[in-house]
């Protein structure tokens, strides 16, 4: 990997030197940094931190506490995630010199197919490129064959190690403050003091419980239960049936929020969001005609692997302090989408703060928190966007209008695709929610939607005739 160079600059160098001269809460040559969690957030932070420190000639020692190898199939090696790397993040990683090899990318996604009870419609990538990556976070589902190269998380962790980080294959059992510095103790009794501790665990990790005594003003993020499962169909069937599209569902099923099926090699992954998500909701979704007709013969195959992980739906309270910072899911994440992208953004902001400003509460408040706050504000807008989506989900009249408008945009070469771009970015998480909301407030958008709602309700203008066959 090429070390990122976009962080360099005379001003940044001066700020970093000034921070180290001014006080003790700054990283010095030989400082030790501990990272709890070797998922994307921890690896991104380490890669950026070491590259930025190297640009200043600053020698840091980084330990990543991660007991998992991410080489096991099923739950032992998995990070309980749908495994989608958004279009915008793929491009940002490439710009940083972090390229995803074909062995990590299980499927390039070039389109979405929206399934509803009033018709289906295919939405092509605005740039007609397969830039969305479907990946495994571990080494595949429980019933899969071992792959030669590990999944996304292992790939990033190996990059971190190649940059000079030490991966400690132990759990962090406790955290305490000794002489103003965090001390991490492992189950074997080994203990290490750090100049900065970075918490990069997922919200499903027991490590989130380590800080009740060590960080009194921190409160863990609010979470919501989800459902993720894998179906084994075989690569040929997946290719013929699901193609290179991600399948999303706008169905009027009580408590259902969002549902998507993602093709990945010989498997497809189902991700469900909903209120009080339980087995009944999962069964109601799988019994719907719109879902069953996606599978060969209309038959839902047995589950190969499944889980009910929780996701971050509300930011943690003050995810920083003197010599400690929470990043990724343990701090702030985008609502329902692009969790890996949130890990990237918060990890980069934390690394930049630590190298160029300092590691005090005030440093993180001034330089790290704005990046988190931007995500948090965008999540408030997201609640409006998803509120409108739920309204459409429960109104057949509105669903007909949306499907009709989208199908006509997709059929017209040169169309600006107002509804298509709104749906694409809502499903993919490629654009901030504020940008999506702005597009819906352009005068043409509500006018065109209203016209398609009216036309779609007429006997001769139904959505299903144009939208049902998504292969058109």
């Amino acid at each position: 990997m090429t070390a990122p160079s976009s962080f360099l600059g005379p001003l940044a160098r001066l700020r970093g030197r000034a921070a180290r001269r001014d006080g003790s809460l700054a990283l010095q040559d030989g400082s030790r940094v501990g990272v709890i969690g070797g998922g994307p957030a921890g690896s991104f932070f380490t890669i950026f931190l070491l590259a930025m420190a190297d640009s200043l000639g600053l020698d840091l020692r980084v330990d990543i506490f991660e007991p998992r190898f991410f080489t096991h199939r099923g739950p032992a090696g998995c990070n309980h995630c749908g495994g989608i790397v958004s279009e915008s993040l793929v491009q940002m990683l490439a710009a940083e010199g972090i390229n995803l090899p074909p062995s990590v990318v299980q499927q390039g996604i070039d389109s979405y197919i929206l399934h509803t009870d009033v018709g289906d419609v295919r939405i092509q990538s605005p740039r007609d490129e397969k830039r969305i990556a479907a990946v495994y976070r571990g080494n595949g589902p429980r019933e899969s064959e071992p792959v030669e190269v590990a999944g996304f998380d292992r790939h990033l962790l190996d990059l971190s190690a190649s940059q000079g980080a030490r991966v400690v294959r132990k759990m962090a059992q406790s955290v305490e403050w000794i002489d103003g510095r965090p001390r991490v103790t492992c189950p074997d009794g080994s203990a290490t003091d750090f100049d900065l501790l970075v918490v990069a665990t997922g919200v499903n990790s027991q490590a989130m419980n380590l800080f009740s005594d060590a960080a009194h003003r921190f409160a863990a993020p609010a979470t919501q239960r989800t459902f993720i499962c894998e179906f084994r169909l075989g690569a040929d069937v997946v290719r013929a049936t699901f193609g290179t599209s991600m399948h999303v569902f706008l169905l009027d099923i009580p408590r259902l929020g969002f549902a998507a099926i993602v093709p990945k090699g010989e498997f497809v992954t189902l991700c469900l969001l909903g209120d009080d998500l339980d087995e009944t909701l999962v069964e109601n979704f799988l019994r719907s005609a719109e879902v069953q007709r996606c599978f060969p013969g209309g038959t839902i195959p047995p589950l190969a692997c499944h889980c009910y992980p929780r996701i971050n739906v509300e930011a943690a309270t003050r995810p920083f302090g003197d010599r400690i910072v929470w990043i990724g899911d343990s701090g702030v994440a985008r609502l329902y989408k692009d969790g890996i992208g949130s890990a990237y953004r918060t990890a980069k902001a934390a690394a930049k703060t630590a190298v160029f400003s300092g590691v005090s509460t005030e440093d993180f408040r001034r330089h790290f928190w704005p990046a988190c706050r931007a995500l948090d504000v965008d999540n408030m807008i997201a609640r409006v966007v998803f509120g409108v989506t739920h309204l459409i989900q429960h109104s057949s009249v509105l669903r007909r209008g949306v499907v009709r408008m989208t199908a006509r945009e997709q059929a017209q070469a040169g169309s600006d695709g107002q509804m298509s771009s709104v749906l694409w970015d809502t499903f993919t998480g490629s654009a901030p929610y504020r940008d999506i909301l702005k597009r819906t407030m352009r005068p043409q958008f509500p006018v065109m939607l209203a016209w398609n709602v009216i036309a779609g309700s007429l006997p001769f203008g139904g959505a299903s005739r144009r939208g049902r066959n998504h292969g058109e």
Side-chain angles (χ1 to χ4, degrees):
M1 191 196 103
T2 303
S5 59
S6 56
F7 319 114
L8 308 184
L11 179 60
R13 292 193 185 94
L14 288 174
R15 288 172 58 194
R17 289 168 185 158
R20 290 194 293 282
R21 284 198 304 268
D22 288 348
S24 59
L25 296 189
L27 300 179
Q28 311 280 346
D29 265 338
S31 288
R32 300 198 64 164
V33 178
V35 179
I36 299 180
S43 292
F44 282 142
F45 172 84
T46 301
I47 292 168
F48 293 138
L49 181 86
L50 291 174
M52 293 175 187
D54 184 63
S55 74
L56 298 180
L58 184 63
D59 182 27
L60 302 178
R61 299 170 61 188
V62 180
D63 289 343
I64 303 175
F65 292 89
E66 179 52 73
R68 293 170 296 178
F69 287 82
F70 301 116
T71 54
H72 297 88
R73 290 168 291 163
C78 185
N79 237 339
H80 313 294
C81 171
I84 289 294
V85 184
S86 72
E87 191 176 29
S88 56
L89 182 58
V90 169
Q91 295 173 8
M92 285 190 288
L93 292 180
E96 305 282 9
I98 303 174
N99 295 301
L100 303 181
S103 52
V104 171
V105 178
Q106 298 295 316
Q107 181 68 62
I109 301 295
D110 62 358
S111 59
Y112 273 58
I113 296 177
L114 174 63
H115 299 269
T116 78
D117 61 327
V118 297
D120 306 339
V121 59
R122 180 193 298 272
I123 306 171
Q124 292 289 350
S125 165
R127 283 164 288 280
D128 200 24
E129 296 176 348
K130 296 180 181 179
R131 300 299 295 270
I132 297 176
V135 301
Y136 285 129
R137 301 293 301 278
N139 200 258
R142 181 181 287 123
E143 296 182 2
S144 63
E145 298 297 328
V147 295
E148 292 183 1
V149 177
F152 182 74
D153 291 32
R154 180 57 185 263
H155 177 68
L156 292 180
L157 193 57
D158 286 347
L159 281 178
S160 301
S162 71
Q163 296 291 302
R166 184 173 73 107
V167 180
V168 181
R169 297 296 181 187
K170 300 176 184 176
M171 292 180 59
Q173 186 178 49
S174 66
V175 175
E176 56 186 338
W177 251 245
I178 305 296
D179 297 331
R181 284 179 165 75
R183 172 176 291 176
V184 176
T185 302
C186 297
D188 62 1
S190 61
T192 308
D193 295 344
F194 292 102
D195 298 288
L196 170 65
L197 182 61
V198 180
V199 186
T201 65
V203 293
N204 296 285
S205 171
Q206 293 298 318
M208 289 296 290
N209 302 321
L210 297 177
F211 307 99
S212 56
D213 296 328
H216 297 290
R217 299 186 64 180
F218 169 79
T223 62
Q224 180 176 330
R225 195 185 195 207
T226 67
F227 175 76
I228 298 176
C229 73
E230 316 277 355
F231 299 105
R232 187 174 193 168
L233 299 172
D236 291 340
V237 173
V238 170
R239 192 179 306 112
T241 309
F242 292 90
T244 54
S245 301
M246 186 164 166
H247 296 247
V248 296
F249 299 84
L250 198 61
L251 304 177
D252 186 12
I253 296 176
R255 297 190 288 124
L256 178 64
F258 176 79
I261 295 178
V262 188
K264 291 181 187 174
E266 61 178 328
F267 289 82
V268 294
T269 300
L270 167 64
C271 305
L272 280 186
L273 292 173
D275 297 330
D276 300 320
L277 203 153
D278 55 16
E279 292 183 358
T280 300
L281 177 53
V282 175
E283 291 174 3
N284 289 340
F285 174 77
L286 293 177
R287 278 203 294 261
S288 68
E290 292 76 19
V291 177
Q292 291 184 345
R293 69 165 179 258
C294 290
F295 289 87
T299 302
I300 305 295
L303 304 184
C305 196
H306 74 280
C307 60
Y308 288 89
R310 306 193 74 83
I311 59 171
N312 178 326
V313 293
E314 189 173 325
T317 301
R318 215 181 82 152
F320 54 85
D322 285 348
R323 299 190 185 281
I324 187 169
V325 63
W326 284 259
I327 61 175
D329 281 354
S330 63
V332 184
R334 288 192 74 197
L335 186 64
Y336 302 144
K337 303 288 182 183
D338 198 22
I340 297 173
S342 303
Y344 167 89
R345 291 175 178 84
T346 57
K348 189 171 181 178
K352 194 172 181 180
T353 301
V355 171
F356 296 121
S357 299
V359 295
S360 69
T361 299
E362 182 61 16
D363 291 322
F364 286 121
R365 188 189 65 77
R366 292 180 60 190
H367 303 289
F368 165 72
W369 179 243
C372 300
R373 181 64 180 162
L375 287 173
D376 200 30
V377 170
D378 202 47
N379 285 344
M380 296 179 190
I381 298 172
R383 296 185 190 284
V384 176
V385 172
F386 285 109
V388 173
T389 303
H390 291 166
L391 187 64
I392 296 170
Q393 185 177 349
H394 297 301
S395 167
S396 62
V397 174
L398 292 177
R399 290 197 299 276
R400 286 181 185 279
V402 168
V403 172
R404 187 180 191 278
M405 183 172 171
T406 308
R408 276 157 175 72
E409 290 175 352
Q410 292 294 308
Q412 295 174 6
S415 168
D416 59 1
Q418 297 177 75
M419 180 61 78
S420 299
S421 71
V422 165
L423 292 176
W424 177 268
D425 286 328
T426 301
F427 296 148
T428 64
S430 290
Y433 290 114
R434 64 177 178 277
D435 289 354
I436 297 171
L437 185 61
K438 283 180 183 175
R439 273 177 264 162
T440 66
M441 299 175 72
R442 294 171 183 165
Q444 304 94 325
F445 186 89
V447 171
M448 290 304 300
L449 177 58
W451 163 247
N452 281 281
V453 167
I454 294 170
S457 301
L458 300 175
F460 55 83
S464 59
R465 285 185 297 155
R466 292 189 66 88
R468 176 63 69 189
N469 185 356
H470 54 69
E472 291 178 350

